[in-house]
Amino acid sequence: MPDPLTVASGICAAGALLSSWQLGRRAVRAEAEIGRLQAELTAERHAASHDPLTGLPNRRAFYRLAATLLTDRSGCRHLIAVVLDLDDFKQINDRYGHAAGDQVLVSVAERLATFAGDNLVARLGGDEFAGLLTSPTVDRRWIDHATRRLYDMLAAPIPMGAVTLRVTASVGLAPVQDSQLTEALNRADAAMYEAKALGSGRTGRALRDTAYLAEC
């Protein structure tokens, strides 16, 4: 006949093993739940700060990230505010449909991001985009060259099934002086609307703010 103490000891050991296993399972489930919640939180934060169509930062994120760039910049590096608006974008939606318009916006966003490289670009809303470019100088020649490159990239054909679309953009650029981002964006925006008012006859549809152009 088994020793009662031995049986009791075995039962206790088995119970301890079962309890340990159950605790381990609960810990695994808890870790999985924490991971899921963290992933959901990350996704929600990304959705709150990024444009759902193009994946670029949205208006709110642009101003927040730009403020950080203005605080952290060092050395002889200038910041150039860029504002661009597509020309006659409504006609694309009216003629080819909103799906085609969305594809154009995605293509423009990709090209703007490629042009900017590691610099900040964002979709402010509709067909309006903005950026904050770093430059070793605000020399007129550098800004003219950057403007031409950006315009040529945006104006490249966009294949879209049976049709190929070309879009142009009106662009305004303005150097950021004394960390005054809002002022620079207002000047860039005014230059952009001035370029748009000139009509399609102006190559590049872009103007620069010349009030503060100077060598570093």
Side-chain angles (χ1 to χ4, degrees):
M1 183 175 180
D3 181 7
L5 292 177
T6 302
V7 173
S9 177
I11 293 175
C12 289
L17 287 174
L18 178 60
S19 178
S20 177
W21 179 81
Q22 289 175 334
L23 289 173
R25 291 278 295 174
R26 290 173 184 169
V28 170
R29 288 197 296 268
E31 288 180 0
E33 181 66 10
I34 291 173
R36 184 184 66 81
L37 292 174
Q38 288 177 335
E40 288 183 357
L41 180 60
T42 299
E44 289 175 0
R45 287 175 175 172
H46 185 274
S49 61
H50 287 74
D51 171 51
L53 177 64
T54 64
L56 293 180
N58 59 23
R59 179 184 293 270
R60 178 181 299 179
F62 173 75
Y63 280 96
R64 175 172 54 81
L65 295 171
T68 301
L69 288 174
L70 288 171
T71 302
D72 294 344
R73 65 171 172 168
S74 60
C76 193
R77 302 289 290 179
H78 298 273
L79 291 175
I80 309 295
V82 181
V83 175
L84 69 90
D85 187 271
L86 300 185
D87 299 322
D88 303 318
F89 179 69
K90 185 178 182 298
Q91 294 184 11
I92 295 176
N93 284 328
D94 292 344
R95 182 173 181 180
Y96 300 102
H98 288 280
D102 287 349
Q103 188 172 339
V104 167
L105 292 174
V106 170
S107 296
V108 168
E110 291 174 347
R111 293 174 182 184
L112 179 59
T114 298
F115 168 80
D118 294 333
N119 293 299
L120 172 63
V121 293
R123 182 188 178 195
L124 300 186
D127 58 327
E128 185 179 7
F129 297 81
L132 200 58
L133 308 180
T134 57
S135 166
T137 177
V138 287
D139 175 65
R140 185 189 309 260
R141 290 170 298 178
W142 186 94
I143 292 184
D144 283 345
H145 176 69
T147 301
R148 286 194 298 270
R149 281 186 54 234
L150 175 57
Y151 178 79
D152 289 343
M153 290 182 69
L154 296 176
I158 301 176
M160 199 169 297
V163 299
T164 298
L165 299 181
R166 289 179 181 269
V167 297
T168 59
S170 298
V171 183
L173 297 91
V176 180
Q177 294 291 321
D178 301 322
S179 298
Q180 297 299 315
L181 176 64
T182 301
E183 179 186 346
L185 286 170
N186 287 339
R187 296 201 313 271
D189 195 60
M192 182 271 291
Y193 276 105
E194 185 179 348
K196 189 176 288 290
L198 294 175
S200 59
R202 178 182 172 86
T203 302
R205 300 286 293 271
L207 290 178
R208 60 185 178 274
D209 175 80
T210 58
Y212 299 98
L213 295 184
E215 288 285 358
C216 174

